[in-house]
Amino acid sequence: MSNTLTDIGTLIDSHPGIHGGCPLIAGTGVTVRRIAIWYKQGLRAEEIAARIGHLTIAQVYAALTYYHINREEIDADIAAQEAEADRIEALHKASRQS
């Protein structure tokens, strides 16, 4: 058994040049937003870890912990992303109808 302890604060990171500075699972390109979206769709942490095979269950739980602590911020980010996707889709439909 390993006696190495991990500081949970090292599991979530952000960099201005990666995904616009959104919180990420450290050492990956996986955003907390992506984990939160799947969680909100009803996936369990184990299912999320299985979908992204290079993540450990601890990394997924760290992302979910970050999400629950910062729910308003992450939910606002998700809503903004969805609104932008809707806007782009509407522009695309309008240009096809012209």
Side-chain angles (χ1 to χ4, degrees):
M1 176 182 271
S2 174
N3 289 330
T4 305
L5 296 177
T6 300
D7 175 1
I8 193 169
T10 64
L11 296 176
I12 303 298
D13 204 358
S14 66
H15 301 281
I18 302 173
H19 292 289
C22 291
L24 307 164
I25 296 175
T28 76
V30 180
T31 63
V32 171
R33 174 180 59 228
R34 181 175 177 188
I35 301 298
I37 289 169
W38 283 349
Y39 172 77
K40 290 172 66 161
Q41 290 175 345
L43 273 69
R44 294 177 299 112
E46 294 79 9
E47 294 170 312
I48 295 168
R51 283 192 178 195
I52 309 174
H54 66 279
L55 294 183
T56 67
I57 192 71
Q59 289 172 308
V60 173
Y61 276 117
L64 290 172
T65 298
Y66 185 94
Y67 167 66
H68 285 290
I69 292 170
N70 300 285
R71 185 182 294 243
E72 286 183 25
E73 174 189 333
I74 302 298
D75 283 347
D77 185 37
I78 291 168
Q81 291 288 319
E82 289 173 351
E84 180 63 6
D86 290 346
R87 184 187 73 77
I88 291 169
E89 184 178 338
L91 285 173
H92 179 69
K93 284 182 181 177
S95 70
R96 287 188 359 208
Q97 294 175 352
S98 300

